[in-house]
């Protein structure tokens, strides 16, 4: 047989979230398709944008979370380009959410997968109190129905741009955070970017990889009626 050795490959069906030989496959949640034709204008969103730290007790929907995540880092082109500009199209940002009161989504921590527009579940359960402590006890983190967090893998950008790549990463997270701010206005929601927190505590809560560094915390919720 010309030195070739036949190999038999056996496939075992494994459901997402099940274990096989000690390896657990993460549970994934397909997000609703984002909308691209809302009537609100960029100008009106810019005019109305404010830092909102107080939210009502109402939940947000999975469709709204989907829209916010797409606004932050959604794929908008067949070549993988996204809603926010990225130096060299290297996309160093990773987005997590801490969900508590999201209709159609169990409480827990999830990671956003832009390419497939889905969430990968990291851990279940209520985690806002832990995150609030890590954010120096800022109550807006504990009271928000969902919290969006940005982390960065600096090496993705620095491998091409060196030390200056760190600056580019910080620019990019600003672009993405502003996208969330404006999308929140369009949805009738409020948010505030937070940079004061204990990095090591946040990394532990999110179960970050060693090279994922937290940059922003953005609590999101419904506006309190005046």
């Amino acid at each position: 047989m010309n030195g070739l050795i036949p190999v038999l490959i056996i496939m075992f069906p494994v459901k997402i979230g099940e274990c096989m030989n000690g390896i657990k496959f993460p549970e994934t949640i397909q997000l609703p398709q984002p909308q691209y034709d809302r009537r609100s204008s960029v100008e009106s969103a810019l005019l109305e944008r404010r830092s909102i730290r107080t939210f009502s007790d109402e939940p947000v929907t999975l469709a709204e979370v989907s829209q916010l995540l797409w606004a932050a880092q959604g794929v908008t082109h067949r070549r993988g380009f996204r809603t926010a500009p990225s130096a060299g199209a290297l996309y160093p940002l990773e987005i997590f959410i801490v969900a508590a009161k999201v209709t159609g989504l169990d409480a827990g921590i999830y990671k956003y997968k832009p390419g497939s527009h889905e969430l990968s579940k990291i851990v279940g359960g209520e985690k806002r109190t832990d995150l609030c402590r890590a954010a120096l006890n800022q109550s807006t983190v504990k009271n928000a129905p969902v919290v969006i967090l940005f982390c960065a893998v600096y090496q993705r950008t620095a491998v091409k741009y060196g030390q200056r790549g760190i600056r580019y990463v910080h620019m990019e997270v600003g672009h993405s955070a502003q996208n969330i701010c404006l999308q929140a206005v369009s949805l009738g929601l409020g948010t505030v970017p937070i940079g004061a927190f204990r990095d090591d505590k946040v990394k532990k809560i999110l179960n970050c990889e060693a090279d994922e560094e937290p940059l922003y915390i953005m609590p999101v919720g419904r506006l309190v009626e005046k």
Side-chain angles (χ1 to χ4, degrees):
M1 297 179 63
N2 298 325
L4 297 178
I5 300 175
V7 176
L8 175 64
I9 300 176
I10 303 175
M11 304 295 289
F12 295 94
V14 179
K15 294 181 180 180
I16 292 173
E18 290 185 343
C19 291
M20 181 177 179
N21 295 330
I23 300 174
K24 186 172 183 179
F25 295 84
E27 177 185 350
T28 58
I29 296 91
Q30 186 64 53
L31 290 166
Q33 183 72 11
Q35 296 183 17
Y36 311 125
D37 56 356
R38 291 186 176 274
R39 293 182 180 181
S40 59
S41 67
V42 174
E43 292 82 4
S44 63
L46 288 166
L47 182 65
E48 296 173 24
R49 189 218 62 81
R50 294 293 181 273
S51 294
I52 306 297
R53 294 176 173 83
T54 303
F55 310 111
S56 75
D57 292 330
E58 297 180 48
V60 296
T61 68
L62 186 59
E64 289 168 334
V65 171
S66 168
Q67 196 72 33
L68 290 165
L69 294 174
W70 174 82
Q73 282 284 288
V75 175
T76 57
H77 191 276
R78 58 183 175 78
R79 291 176 59 187
F81 299 146
R82 302 185 186 179
T83 53
S86 178
L90 296 172
Y91 303 111
L93 301 182
E94 297 289 346
I95 301 181
F96 297 77
I97 68 167
V98 174
K101 294 182 180 180
V102 179
T103 304
L105 185 67
D106 292 337
I109 298 176
Y110 300 82
K111 192 173 189 179
Y112 179 50
K113 303 296 184 182
S116 54
H117 193 58
E118 63 184 14
L119 295 173
S120 178
K121 189 172 185 178
I122 296 172
V123 64
E126 168 64 81
K127 301 298 180 182
R128 289 179 301 175
T129 299
D130 293 341
L131 186 60
C132 178
R133 293 194 190 104
L136 312 182
N137 294 309
Q138 297 181 71
S139 60
T140 187
V141 174
K142 185 177 180 180
N143 297 331
V146 65
V147 184
I148 299 173
L149 300 100
F150 286 95
C151 293
V153 180
Y154 286 103
Q155 188 59 21
R156 289 181 194 164
T157 304
V159 71
K160 180 175 182 178
Y161 296 108
Q163 189 69 18
R164 196 167 186 85
I166 295 175
R167 179 183 297 190
Y168 296 159
V169 172
H170 294 164
M171 290 177 181
E172 183 170 342
V173 76
H175 303 325
S176 289
Q178 179 71 341
N179 282 3
I180 288 180
C181 288
L182 298 180
Q183 183 69 79
V185 172
S186 174
L187 294 169
L189 304 173
T191 187
V192 57
I194 293 175
F197 51 82
R198 292 280 303 276
D199 292 27
D200 57 335
K201 300 294 185 183
V202 172
K203 288 187 70 167
K204 185 176 181 180
I205 292 166
L206 298 180
N207 194 26
C208 288
E209 300 291 342
D211 58 356
E212 292 176 336
E213 301 297 336
L215 294 178
Y216 252 156
I217 296 177
M218 298 186 70
V220 180
R222 299 203 180 282
L223 305 178
V224 176
E225 293 184 9
K226 297 180 180 179

